[in-house]
Amino acid sequence: MQVRPAVPADAAGLARVHIAAWRSAYVGIMPDAYLAELDEARFARGWERAIDEGVSAALIGTIDGVVRGFATFGVARDDEPVEAAQLYGFNLHPIAFGSGLAIALHGAALDALGAAGHTGVYLWVAEANPRARRFYEREGWTADGGVKIEEFGGRPLREVRYTVGVQ
């Protein structure tokens, strides 16, 4: 198992993880047709562009050299205090559940944010995603009452905000 910064050559692996994670986590939450239409080539192009342009920091987690998870993070994208950072995305391929990779990847992301001078981090998670919410709560995150609605495939998705302090 290894956690390291993502490079453009990781884009296809990131796309596979992203889509597999969403298709696992969002069944019954996002429309089936939306999940079925997620395009690996389009996601890979987006990942390559994001990494090339430094849109956010991205760490990948590998098992036996294969990308199995990722964390993207950086400065707050919402109207949050300047010292806050945001965990934009955190996904694991279902094949890696229970491997310990999520804990390693999560720790590395929070360490990087703390090293960058951030004192707090927040994220948005689907309210109807109990697996993700349990993971964050086990790792010390707390729901702070923030709520927002996003739309995916024509269906509203209610998200709740979680926060955690970093050192």
Side-chain angles (χ1 to χ4, degrees):
M1 182 179 325
Q2 180 186 27
V3 175
R4 64 171 173 78
V7 296
D10 295 319
L14 284 159
R16 280 190 292 279
V17 167
H18 201 162
I19 290 171
W22 277 33
R23 286 181 176 160
S24 171
Y26 295 123
V27 171
I29 299 171
M30 291 181 182
D32 292 342
Y34 178 82
L35 293 171
E37 293 172 3
L38 297 175
D39 181 83
E40 195 171 300
R42 185 176 61 79
F43 270 55
R45 286 189 303 274
W47 275 109
E48 189 170 346
R49 188 173 41 257
I51 294 167
D52 276 342
E53 295 172 4
V55 172
S56 69
L59 295 176
I60 63 163
T62 64
I63 298 175
D64 296 328
V66 178
V67 178
R68 295 296 186 203
F70 67 84
T72 57
F73 49 90
V75 297
R77 291 182 176 164
D78 301 305
D79 294 330
E80 297 294 328
V82 174
E83 68 273 6
Q86 184 176 357
L87 183 62
Y88 307 135
F90 188 84
N91 286 277
L92 206 66
H93 194 292
I95 202 167
F97 289 171
S99 68
L101 182 61
I103 292 169
L105 194 55
H106 175 265
L110 292 187
D111 287 348
L113 288 164
H118 297 286
T119 58
V121 183
Y122 73 97
L123 61 81
W124 294 100
V125 61
E127 185 174 52
N129 186 344
R131 180 183 195 96
R133 293 181 70 180
R134 280 192 308 271
F135 172 79
Y136 293 126
E137 289 167 5
R138 276 194 316 267
E139 295 302 310
W141 294 75
T142 304
D144 72 356
V147 174
K148 73 175 182 175
I149 307 293
E150 299 244 9
E151 188 175 302
F152 292 91
R155 183 184 297 168
L157 175 72
R158 184 179 166 97
E159 294 178 297
V160 293
R161 187 175 53 214
Y162 275 69
T163 61
V164 71
V166 293
Q167 299 177 14

